[in-house]
């Protein structure tokens, strides 16, 4: 570390609260070291109240950028100069790039999802996806998949606090992309089963399967899942969720957790700041 940090070191932040548990500093600092890049990545406790001052500091200190997480992903938008089209559609930002004082907001979760599939040589463009969940992750996934050329997305959500967001997502995708999106009630099990059976990929972005819902799944009947369906769970702790176990019992060949998505969303931010490819396999070994 002392060999790397000097008077020219470029600072990148992570502004959120709480945030000290994050793996991102380990991810990015190891990637900088591996590539010999003179950058440092630090986590800062930034509450909603401190956010405007923190964004000012980004400009004042000429930081290259920052990651943004809860509770700041949406409220940071009015503080920025520009928004990437995907971030504008998603209505949230997880990465800021500072180009000589001009701050642009990006969202990389959806990019991470698509790239994780590309890494496995699975191309969902031109195909249909059934997606459970329309929260932060589900919105980013739906928007990026639609922008990248997925032909149809059937979005399922409970009638909970996220329902209105799901309505918004479907309208936005249909208005602004060539993808045809539809909204369905997760409570309608026959509809859910039929849409999955008609899809190329089923993605669960609800977090059912991780604490406090570890061991639970929205699909417990293996007969719902064709062997050639792709099954993607955004959860990465535990590494194998109940949904993945059910898919494996059904003989599904392509079953993924959210690890690849997590690594690739970080790699996409890394590329935006440095212009370089993150050594993803190396970082995978270090983190897991
Ligand atoms: P969120 O709270 O914004 O959204 C949660 C969604 O799940 C909502 O649509 C909600 O209606 C739905 N939901 C909640 N409880 C449910 C239940 N019991 N049954 C059915 N639906 C339910 O959360 P988020 O930030 O979108 O995160 C969701 C999951 O995605 C988490 O497991 C998180 O770890 C994961 N995630 C993974 C990555 C990655 O890089 N792999 C990135 C972001 C989020």
């Amino acid at each position: 570390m002392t060999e790397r940090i000097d008077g020219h070191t470029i600072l990148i932040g992570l502004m959120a609260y709480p945030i000290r548990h994050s793996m991102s500093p380990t991810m990015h600092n190891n990637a900088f070291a591996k590539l010999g890049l003179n950058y440092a990545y630090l986590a800062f406790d930034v509450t909603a109240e401190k956010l405007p001052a923190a964004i000012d500091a980004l400009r004042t200190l000429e930081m290259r950028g920052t990651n943004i997480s809860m509770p700041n992903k949406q409220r940071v938008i009015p503080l920025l100069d520009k928004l990437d089209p995907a971030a504008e559609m998603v209505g949230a930002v997880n990465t800021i790039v500072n180009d000589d004082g001009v701050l642009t907001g990006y969202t990389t979760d959806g990019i991470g999802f698509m790239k994780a599939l590309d890494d496995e040589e699975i191309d969902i463009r031109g195909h249909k996806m059934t997606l459970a969940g329309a929260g932060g992750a589900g919105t980013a996934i739906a928007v990026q998949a639609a922008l990248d050329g997925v032909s149809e997305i059937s979005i399922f959500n409970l009638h909970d606090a996220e329902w209105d967001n799901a309505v918004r997502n479907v309208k936005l995708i249909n208005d602004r992309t060539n993808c045809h999106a539809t909204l369905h009630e997760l409570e309608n099990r026959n509809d859910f089963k039929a849409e999955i059976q008609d899809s190329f990929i089923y993605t669960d972005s609800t977090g059912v399967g991780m604490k406090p819902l570890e061991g639970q799944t929205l699909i417990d009947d293996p007969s719902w899942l064709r062997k050639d369906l792709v099954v993607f769970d955004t959860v990465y702790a535990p590494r194998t969720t109940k949904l993945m176990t059910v898919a494996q019992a059904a003989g599904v060949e392509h079953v993924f957790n959210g690890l690849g998505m997590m690594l690739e969303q970080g790699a996409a931010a890394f590329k935006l700041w440095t212009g370089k490819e993150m050594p993803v396999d190396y970082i995978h070994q270090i983190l897991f």
Side-chain angles (χ1 to χ4, degrees):
M1 180 64 80
T2 47
E3 285 162 21
R4 282 206 310 115
I5 305 282
D6 62 18
H8 299 280
T9 302
I10 297 165
L11 181 60
I12 294 180
L14 167 57
M15 299 176 177
Y17 186 81
I19 200 54
R20 296 291 168 182
H21 62 282
S22 171
M23 285 191 282
S24 294
T26 309
M27 173 192 277
H28 289 288
N29 287 314
N30 277 287
F32 297 146
K34 177 77 174 168
L35 298 187
L37 298 174
N38 197 354
Y39 288 77
Y41 183 109
L42 291 179
F44 298 103
D45 286 321
V46 177
T47 56
E49 294 69 34
K50 282 161 65 177
L51 184 64
I55 296 299
D56 272 351
L58 190 64
R59 289 192 170 90
T60 307
L61 302 178
E62 297 178 7
M63 293 168 63
R64 174 62 177 142
T66 188
N67 276 137
I68 294 286
S69 194
M70 297 315 285
N72 300 324
K73 284 184 162 194
Q74 291 162 341
R75 51 173 52 93
V76 78
I77 288 177
L79 306 173
L80 303 177
D81 301 302
K82 292 202 282 188
L83 273 186
D84 176 70
E88 200 255 316
M89 277 181 73
V90 171
V93 158
N94 76 344
T95 302
I96 298 173
V97 178
N98 180 4
D99 289 308
D100 299 323
V102 178
L103 304 187
T104 306
Y106 296 85
T107 177
T108 64
D109 282 338
I111 297 171
F113 169 77
M114 293 299 290
K115 185 67 167 55
L117 288 167
D118 286 342
D119 291 344
E120 300 290 342
E121 296 182 356
I122 290 173
D123 189 358
I124 64 171
R125 295 164 189 85
H127 294 291
K128 173 171 175 173
M129 170 160 70
T130 291
L131 172 65
T139 300
I141 287 170
V143 165
Q144 194 66 47
L147 288 171
D148 285 1
V150 167
S151 58
E152 271 184 76
I153 308 178
S154 297
I155 298 174
F156 282 81
N157 213 89
L158 296 173
H159 260 288
D160 65 7
E162 229 59 64
W163 181 260
D164 288 349
N165 196 46
V167 172
R168 170 199 170 274
N169 293 352
V170 165
K171 180 167 177 4
L172 212 56
I173 288 169
N174 287 330
D175 286 352
R176 301 228 206 141
T177 76
N178 293 325
C179 176
H180 178 59
T182 51
L183 179 55
H184 308 252
E185 294 174 0
L186 197 47
E187 291 89 343
N188 186 337
R189 301 289 292 173
N190 288 338
D191 190 23
F192 191 32
K193 179 179 176 185
E195 289 302 302
I196 289 171
Q197 290 184 333
D198 191 40
S199 292
F200 181 83
I201 177 169
Y202 168 64
T203 302
D204 187 326
S205 73
T206 64
V208 173
M210 70 177 274
K211 279 185 183 140
L213 303 176
E214 191 166 339
Q216 298 187 32
T217 173
L218 300 176
I219 300 167
D220 52 13
D221 181 350
S223 75
W224 281 34
L225 307 172
R226 292 186 330 269
K227 286 188 171 53
D228 65 345
L229 180 75
V230 177
V231 174
F232 194 111
D233 196 334
T234 58
V235 171
Y236 53 85
R239 216 66 89 229
T240 306
T241 62
K242 186 70 196 302
L243 168 65
M244 294 169 69
T245 308
V246 172
Q248 282 154 357
V252 176
E253 191 185 342
H254 298 297
V255 182
F256 304 108
N257 62 25
L259 205 56
M261 174 176 165
M262 197 275 281
L263 289 165
E264 290 295 358
Q265 63 77 29
F270 187 90
K271 178 120 196 228
L272 287 166
W273 296 317
T274 67
K276 310 274 189 220
E277 300 294 337
M278 177 184 273
V280 171
D281 291 343
Y282 171 74
I283 297 302
H284 187 178
Q285 283 170 24
I286 286 190
L287 287 181
F288 304 103

